[in-house]
């Protein structure tokens, strides 16, 4: 998952959000379908619409920095963002708003010691986006359920 | 040996797994009630500063200094560990 995540949007060579958004749109199918391409399989809750791109959204530089530092918690397809942002905001201090949407992220690949069969595990959780008072996204996070 | 990163990102637990990524609950590390409370209080104050967009640099400096202190306390409670500090405000590692 980590390698795929890094490959798909955080290559560290200046690939812009537009490219990663386009990649996401090509990689992920709507309505909860899990796609394993590029080793990155995540999905929003059933019924969620995956939009074709989020190029018109504004992101703070810290979003990218966070995605590179800890992709496991902070990197998921940008094509999810509009759908997450369509949820009811949770207001915080200073005009800050948080948006949350249930979904699934890839977990560990577990190998059966007897058969050697490898199984991909998944984690249920919440995709979370934070938007500051100026409308800039400065927080993207996947919060796994307990 | 545990490899940990103290990180004040508000949706996290305050402690990341430096190798596997993701956040670790303080309970899973068997931390003392005192240190868990300290981390929780620090995270709450860090969260407020995130909402304020880290505009007050003096508060950010104090929060990061406290985060580095938490690193030292973690090392004391988990001797077999290597602990780093990541400033959520500065989005960079700081030598603890």
């Amino acid at each position: 998952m980590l390698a795929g995540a890094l490959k798909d949007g955080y290559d560290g060579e200046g690939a812009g959000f537009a490219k990663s958004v386009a990649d996401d749109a090509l990689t992920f199918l709507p309505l909860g379908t899990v796609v394993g391409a590029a080793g990155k399989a995540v999905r929003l809750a059933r019924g969620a619409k995956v939009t074709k791109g989020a190029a018109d959204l504004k992101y703070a530089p810290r979003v990218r920095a966070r995605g590179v530092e800890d992709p496991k918690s902070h990197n998921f397809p940008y094509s999810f963002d509009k759908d997450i942002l369509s949820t009811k905001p949770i207001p915080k201090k200073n005009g800050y708003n948080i948006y949350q949407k249930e979904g699934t992220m890839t977990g560990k690949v577990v190998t059966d010691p007897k058969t050697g069969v490898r199984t991909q595990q998944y984690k249920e959780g919440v995709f979370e986006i934070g938007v500051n008072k100026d409308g800039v996204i400065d927080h993207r996070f996947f919060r796994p359920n307990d | 040996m545990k490899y940990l990163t103290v990180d004040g990102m508000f949706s996290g637990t305050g402690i990341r797994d430096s190798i596997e990524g993701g956040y670790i609950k303080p309970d899973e590390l068997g931390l003392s009630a005192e240190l868990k409370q300290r981390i929780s209080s620090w995270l709450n104050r860090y969260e407020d500063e995130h909402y304020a967009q880290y505009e007050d640099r003096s508060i950010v400096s104090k929060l990061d200094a406290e985060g580095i202190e938490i690193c030292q306390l973690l090392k004391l409670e988990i001797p077999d560990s290597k602990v780093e500090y990541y400033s959520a405000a500065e989005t960079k590692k700081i030598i603890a």
Side-chain angles (χ1 to χ4, degrees), chain A residues 77-97:
Chain A
Y78 285 90
S79 55
F80 285 8
D81 290 9
K82 281 192 174 175
D83 196 55
I84 298 164
L85 290 168
S86 71
T87 62
K88 188 180 178 186
I90 302 165
K92 300 291 182 180
K93 293 177 183 174
N94 297 316
Y96 198 90
N97 282 298

Side-chain angles (χ1 to χ4, degrees), chain A residues 3-17 19-20 64-65 67-69 75:
Chain A
L6 287 166
K7 207 174 179 180
D8 269 7
Y10 296 114
D11 59 7
E13 293 173 357
F17 284 115
K19 181 182 181 305
S20 63
R64 188 183 179 93
V68 172
E69 172 65 20
N75 190 18

Side-chain angles (χ1 to χ4, degrees), chain B residues 2-21:
Chain B
K2 287 188 188 302
Y3 293 88
L4 307 171
T5 301
V6 172
D7 181 340
M9 202 281 300
F10 67 88
S11 291
T13 63
I15 305 168
R16 278 196 277 123
D17 183 326
S18 308
I19 306 296
E20 294 289 326

Side-chain angles (χ1 to χ4, degrees), chain B residues 18-50:
Chain B
S18 308
I19 306 296
E20 294 289 326
Y23 291 82
I24 304 172
K25 290 178 183 167
D27 279 341
E28 292 173 25
L29 295 170
L31 302 182
S32 67
E34 196 177 50
L35 183 51
K36 283 192 284 188
Q37 177 55 41
R38 177 93 186 260
I39 292 170
S40 172
S41 160
W42 174 69
L43 274 179
N44 287 338
R45 283 177 280 127
Y46 222 119
E47 179 174 4
D48 285 345
E49 284 312 299
H50 184 101

